[in-house]
């Protein structure tokens, strides 16, 4: 499903490893910051990409809807920065504008890492994604034996709203 949605949205298939790094593909993943789902959307970012959240539903936990929203978000970031590696770790807050494109933004990011100013999870973010990608593409080269699981069949369904007629039955 993730591969299909990434393809439909026109983003690189390697971005699937971003979800692996974020949540280990656990749909119910919850971060300390309140980010949820396999793509770890915080509420305001999910709202920007049409993921509904209310008392009854939280679409950040819907793998297909969240994957589509993540692909759109990453494509938007790629449009700002012109680089898929920068699109993944650089999450802008609402209303925040990038200071530059491509190389300038990369220099700032790498400078913050070298100055030890960035949190550990940010410093390790891109290397973790790159490592996951390399290992997943050639596990045997790294001495890892993989017995892949076949995709689980899934289905989706909709629930009809309850009837509002008074009495609700035959009299």
């Amino acid at each position: 499903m993730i591969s299909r949605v990434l393809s439909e949205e026109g983003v690189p298939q390697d971005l699937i490893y971003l979800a692996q790094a974020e949540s280990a593909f656990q749909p119910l993943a919850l971060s300390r910051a309140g980010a949820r789902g396999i793509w770890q959307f915080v509420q305001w970012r999910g709202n920007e990409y049409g993921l509904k959240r209310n008392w009854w539903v939280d679409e950040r936990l819907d793998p297909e809807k969240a994957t589509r929203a993540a692909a759109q978000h990453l494509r938007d970031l790629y449009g700002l920065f012109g680089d898929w590696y920068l699109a993944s770790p650089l999450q802008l807050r609402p209303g925040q504008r990038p200071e530059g494109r491509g190389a300038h933004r990369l220099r700032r990011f790498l400078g913050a890492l070298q100055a030890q100013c960035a949190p550990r999870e940010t410093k390790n973010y891109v290397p973790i994604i790159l490592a996951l990608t390399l290992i997943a593409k050639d596990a045997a080269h790294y001495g890892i034996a993989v017995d892949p699981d076949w995709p689980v069949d899934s289905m989706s369904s909709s629930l009809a709203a309850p009837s509002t007629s008074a009495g609700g039955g035959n009299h």
Side-chain angles (χ1 to χ4, degrees):
M1 176 278 302
I2 296 173
S3 180
R4 175 181 52 79
V5 171
L6 294 178
S7 179
E8 289 170 1
E9 293 293 333
V11 300
Q13 290 293 308
D14 285 355
L15 293 176
I16 195 170
Y17 303 110
L18 178 59
Q20 185 178 12
E22 289 282 5
S23 67
F25 299 117
Q26 298 299 312
L28 301 178
L30 172 65
S31 76
R32 292 184 310 250
R36 291 189 154 269
I38 63 173
W39 294 95
Q40 290 292 281
F41 274 102
V42 291
Q43 185 175 343
W44 57 265
R45 181 68 74 202
N47 290 343
E48 282 185 359
Y49 287 90
L51 298 177
K52 292 187 293 187
R53 182 185 175 279
N54 59 39
W55 182 262
W56 297 277
V57 68
D58 187 344
E59 290 182 340
R60 297 175 298 167
L61 303 177
D62 180 311
E64 184 154 355
K65 288 180 181 179
T67 297
R68 194 161 304 281
Q72 292 167 0
H73 177 55
L74 290 163
R75 192 178 53 236
D76 289 349
L77 289 172
Y78 177 80
L80 290 172
F81 301 115
D83 186 286
W84 288 109
Y85 290 110
L86 290 177
S88 58
L90 300 176
Q91 306 291 320
L92 298 177
R93 297 249 177 234
Q96 186 179 4
R97 296 280 177 240
E99 295 178 17
R101 291 179 57 93
H104 173 71
R105 192 71 173 160
L106 180 58
R107 281 193 303 274
R108 286 198 58 212
F109 178 70
L110 294 175
L113 293 182
Q114 290 173 345
Q116 304 295 317
C117 298
R120 181 175 46 222
E121 38 190 56
T122 302
K123 279 194 271 189
N124 295 331
Y125 196 74
V126 172
I128 287 170
I129 294 166
L130 292 174
L132 286 168
T133 303
L134 291 171
I135 291 168
K137 288 184 169 202
D138 192 5
H141 177 78
Y142 299 98
I144 299 171
V146 177
D147 184 19
D149 291 333
W150 293 103
V152 176
D153 288 334
S154 64
M155 69 171 105
S156 59
S157 63
S158 299
L159 297 176
S163 174
T164 58
S165 63
N170 296 337
H171 292 276

